[in-house]
Amino acid sequence: MMTFNIEFESPDRIEGKEGRSKLLATQSELYQVLKRLKQAIKTRYEVKPDRMDLHIEVTRQRNDPAFRKKAEEVHQTTIDLSDESNWGFLGKAFVLWTPEVLGYGRTHITIAFFGNYPKPTLDALQQMITLVVDSQ
């Protein structure tokens, strides 16, 4: 199965580094699958180190009064990892596209940031997604 719920660590409050983003719940199935995918990518390609654990940015400004409401729009929504249109590149980052948020647009989870390292093809990464999800 390749459909998962997006779950946040603490949907009702802002924690630590969460100025504009919400951290995914580490115990969630989605987090576990994406963490394995990140590891698989790191074993085959050079990537930049993570600045923050898996998260979704939901606002462009710190102290956004609508932060909680925006986070709640995404929390518990379903994402299909087998839908190729949910994957892509945002600049030098390989991302999982997540739901749109009012006033922000389409959100995403960065899986790997390649920086100046060579970027693999989207096809190669999508094959890795299938292998990682099928092996769970």
Side-chain angles (χ1 to χ4, degrees):
M1 179 156 121
M2 294 184 75
T3 303
F4 300 91
N5 283 342
I6 295 171
E7 296 176 49
F8 291 130
E9 198 65 56
S10 56
D12 58 334
R13 64 188 183 279
I14 302 170
E15 303 282 354
K17 290 184 173 183
E18 293 182 334
R20 298 180 308 224
S21 306
K22 286 302 301 169
L23 289 164
L24 294 182
T26 57
Q27 76 280 3
S28 71
E29 285 184 275
L30 178 62
Y31 178 92
Q32 297 299 321
V33 168
L34 296 181
K35 204 67 172 173
R36 284 197 310 276
L37 177 59
K38 283 177 76 70
Q39 278 308 118
I41 291 170
K42 285 179 181 179
T43 62
R44 294 193 54 194
Y45 304 102
E46 288 187 86
V47 297
K48 295 286 223 178
D50 297 331
R51 290 183 303 190
M52 188 175 176
D53 203 0
L54 291 166
H55 65 280
I56 298 175
E57 185 173 292
V58 294
T59 183
R60 298 193 196 298
Q61 66 185 70
R62 290 192 175 279
N63 304 317
D64 182 346
F67 183 89
R68 177 189 270 166
K69 182 180 182 304
K70 291 175 179 180
E72 288 171 352
E73 285 180 45
V74 178
H75 183 66
Q76 293 300 335
T77 58
T78 302
I79 189 85
D80 183 357
L81 303 188
S82 66
D83 183 345
E84 291 185 3
S85 69
N86 285 336
W87 297 96
F89 286 105
L90 181 60
K92 297 177 179 187
F94 176 57
V95 302
L96 171 61
W97 295 110
T98 50
E100 199 163 302
V101 169
L102 188 65
Y104 182 89
R106 194 163 187 198
T107 61
H108 66 276
I109 301 169
T110 298
I111 306 302
F113 182 71
F114 294 98
N116 293 326
Y117 297 122
K119 202 165 64 170
T121 66
L122 194 52
D123 281 348
L125 292 169
Q126 285 173 327
Q127 288 173 6
M128 291 182 83
I129 294 161
T130 303
L131 290 172
V132 166
V133 173
D134 285 351
S135 71
Q136 90 168 10

